[in-house]
Amino acid sequence: MSESTIRRFIFEHLDIRGAVVHLGDSWQQMQVDRNYQPTVAQLLGELAAVTALIAGQLKQPGRLTLQLRGNGPIQSLIMDCNEQLQMRGMARSNPVVLPAPVPVLLGADQGGKLMMSLDMPNARQPYQSFVPLEGNSIGEIFEHYLEQSEQQPSRLFVTAGPNAAACLFLQKMPQADNHDPDGWNRISHMASTVKPAELLELDAEALLTRLFHEDTADHGVRVYDPQPIVYHCPEDWDKVRDMVISLGRADTESILEEHGEILIRDDICNREYRFTADDVAELFAKTTGQALH
């Protein structure tokens, strides 16, 4: 399974909804030339799967950014995704990160925060929320967050390896108890038996059938068409040129004199933009009609 998709589903007779996210090629591309420590890569992959899950609910153009920040060995995990499920992300950490409990890795007890930002084209400024890191895993942290933000009981099971990242999401809807008073408890219990290998290796239908055989046997679950997820980090020379121009002629001359070039690094896309003195002179000449001295 190298494709990257999200597949939503609903147990129609139980009023329980959910989704299965599988990141294959998109997750692999996000790791190219990063040399992440295995522990760092696992948590970043898990955050990627959760980000795709939440961004998949965007109903209009926008960009969702999720950040886990703290003073632990992993200083930050950042992932963003738009309504077209084009995503990118990165991690910052110590050079060596040994396995440890997630709260320790993220510095949860040292001011660690989950930050969510939603930037909509028609909004004056992004909507932002900041909450403490509560939970012993990425799954628990976001399970708690989703329950608080959506006011519905939720379960989230997430894992990641070098080649794939995946998650299974369940949410109890308002009428669930009217359909089956024990339905949510039963489905939650069966979901809790899921193994990391099953999340990473099985497609959505096979996973749901294995976990919820009785509830899927009589076509009690509707699985929707897959939505593709892609890694998206294109070059943006126009934006970078605007940054250079915004520095002004005096600052650009100073940087060139000290370093011989202007280097702008795009950390989230792992890309560098370099400008020689001739590049900068040409840029200012085109913009202002005046070359650098």
Side-chain angles (χ1 to χ4, degrees):
M1 291 178 63
S2 63
E3 72 277 5
S4 299
T5 62
I6 178 171
R7 298 205 69 177
R8 300 197 176 277
F9 61 86
I10 184 168
F11 292 97
E12 296 181 293
H13 63 299
L14 295 175
D15 206 29
I16 295 172
R17 69 170 184 166
V20 175
V21 173
H22 183 274
L23 304 180
D25 49 4
S26 61
W27 169 230
Q28 294 164 27
Q29 291 163 4
M30 210 176 298
Q31 300 174 81
V32 173
D33 295 329
R34 294 286 195 172
N35 298 316
Y36 290 132
Q37 297 278 301
T39 299
V40 177
Q42 178 177 346
L43 296 193
L44 185 65
E46 292 179 359
L47 178 60
V50 174
T51 303
L53 168 73
I54 300 175
Q57 300 185 59
L58 293 175
K59 299 296 190 292
Q60 55 184 310
R63 179 169 293 279
L64 172 76
T65 303
L66 295 175
Q67 301 184 49
L68 303 179
R69 290 184 178 272
N71 294 314
I74 300 175
Q75 289 83 48
S76 64
L77 301 172
I78 305 170
M79 196 68 55
D80 75 34
C81 187
N82 63 18
E83 84 287 348
Q84 300 179 54
L85 297 180
Q86 297 172 326
M87 67 187 314
R88 59 190 181 181
M90 60 167 286
R92 288 193 177 98
S93 71
N94 294 347
V96 176
V97 179
L98 300 176
V102 169
V104 174
L105 291 171
L106 298 176
D109 61 349
Q110 303 177 52
K113 298 283 186 184
L114 161 60
M115 293 176 276
M116 189 278 281
S117 175
L118 182 58
D119 192 1
M120 312 291 281
N122 57 355
R124 289 187 178 182
Q125 58 186 22
Y127 167 79
Q128 294 183 320
S129 67
F130 303 84
V131 298
L133 295 178
E134 297 185 28
N136 293 316
S137 65
I138 297 295
E140 287 186 11
I141 289 169
F142 280 95
E143 187 176 290
H144 176 78
Y145 174 78
L146 290 167
E147 284 192 355
Q148 295 296 311
S149 63
E150 301 191 5
Q151 300 297 306
Q152 297 292 340
S154 304
R155 296 302 311 273
L156 185 60
F157 306 90
V158 58
T159 190
N163 298 317
C167 72
L168 168 66
F169 172 67
L170 293 168
Q171 190 169 65
K172 180 181 180 182
M173 303 304 289
Q175 299 301 315
D177 288 342
N178 294 337
H179 289 268
D180 184 340
D182 188 52
W184 174 248
N185 290 335
R186 184 176 70 255
I187 293 295
S188 296
H189 173 72
M190 289 187 288
S192 68
T193 66
V194 69
K195 298 178 176 61
E198 293 173 329
L199 283 173
L200 294 173
E201 298 169 9
L202 298 179
D203 61 33
E205 289 95 338
L207 180 66
L208 295 175
T209 299
R210 178 170 295 190
L211 292 175
F212 314 111
H213 177 70
E214 292 184 7
D215 288 274
T216 59
D218 297 325
H219 307 287
V221 61
R222 177 190 295 183
V223 183
Y224 295 93
D225 291 338
Q227 298 172 263
I229 303 165
V230 297
Y231 173 67
H232 187 67
C233 248
E235 289 188 345
D236 194 345
W237 279 97
D238 289 341
K239 180 178 180 181
V240 177
R241 291 187 186 103
D242 288 343
M243 291 174 61
V244 174
I245 293 169
S246 70
L247 292 173
R249 288 194 299 152
D251 284 346
T252 54
E253 286 178 333
S254 176
I255 295 170
L256 287 169
E257 184 177 347
E258 182 177 355
H259 299 286
E261 65 176 1
I262 293 177
L263 171 63
I264 296 177
R265 177 160 181 79
D266 178 359
D267 285 336
I268 198 166
C269 288
N270 199 29
R271 182 178 289 118
E272 293 181 344
Y273 297 85
R274 296 177 181 273
F275 294 82
T276 64
D278 288 342
D279 294 332
V280 176
E282 181 181 356
L283 183 59
F284 274 88
K286 287 180 179 179
T287 305
T288 66
Q290 299 180 11
L292 290 177
H293 300 298

